[in-house]
Amino acid sequence: MKSLKTVIRGLPGQLVVSHEMSLSMSMRLQYEPSDPYAVRAAFAVVGSDETVEWIIGRDLLADGLEGPAGEGDIRVWPAEERDVSDLYILLSPPDGTALLKAPAWEIKTFLQETEAVVPRGAEPGRIDLDALLAHLIIAEG
């Protein structure tokens, strides 16, 4: 299968601790055409060596730009404050929650770049079934 370009974007963000306090963080979004439904997201508080990684559905991010989206471990929604163009991402693993805030235009630009590589709706044609089956067989064994 033809290899397509990986899309990577670094952007600033905030870890929202309370209404009065947030911590600056860096976010790194990565899209691999070989896994066309997923965005790999790495988050790190500025000044920390610890990085937390999540896999977020590309459609979930796109839908979250328009309105509340997601259920379960990941929820996404646009900020409702006047003249603020941010996107909230709520991560809810079993051991706690984290509320992240990022510039919506940066997420939108990243998603536009991914759609230039694999348009929404064209994902099934990008899945390498042979590689997926080989991975599953190895994982079973």
Side-chain angles (χ1 to χ4, degrees):
M1 187 170 280
K2 181 183 165 203
S3 176
L4 296 174
K5 174 180 114 169
T6 297
V7 178
I8 299 172
R9 186 172 195 85
L11 57 139
Q14 296 177 338
L15 172 62
V16 179
V17 179
S18 69
H19 276 304
E20 299 81 30
M21 183 180 166
S22 63
L23 302 172
S24 294
M25 60 181 300
S26 63
M27 302 172 69
R28 181 177 183 267
L29 303 177
Q30 181 173 329
Y31 179 78
E32 295 284 345
S34 61
D35 191 1
Y37 292 103
V39 171
R40 284 167 175 60
F43 309 102
V45 172
V46 173
S48 171
D49 292 335
E50 186 175 339
T51 300
V52 177
E53 296 184 8
W54 280 72
I55 297 176
I56 302 173
R58 178 171 76 158
D59 286 345
L60 177 60
L61 284 175
D63 293 346
L65 287 169
E66 303 301 319
E71 46 188 68
D73 289 354
I74 305 172
R75 295 174 190 238
V76 182
W77 66 95
E80 294 181 12
E81 296 96 21
R82 177 180 285 167
D83 299 328
V84 175
S85 184
D86 287 322
L87 185 70
Y88 286 103
I89 303 170
L90 179 65
L91 305 175
S92 301
D95 57 348
T97 62
L99 179 59
L100 312 175
K101 186 164 77 168
W105 70 271
E106 293 259 20
I107 304 284
K108 185 175 185 174
T109 300
F110 170 78
L111 291 172
Q112 289 170 340
E113 291 171 1
T114 71
E115 290 177 27
V117 176
V118 178
R120 282 179 81 178
E123 296 94 346
R126 294 298 314 150
I127 296 173
D128 186 345
L129 293 177
D130 292 334
L132 179 60
L133 287 173
H135 177 75
L136 292 174
I137 291 169
I138 291 170
E140 289 274 320

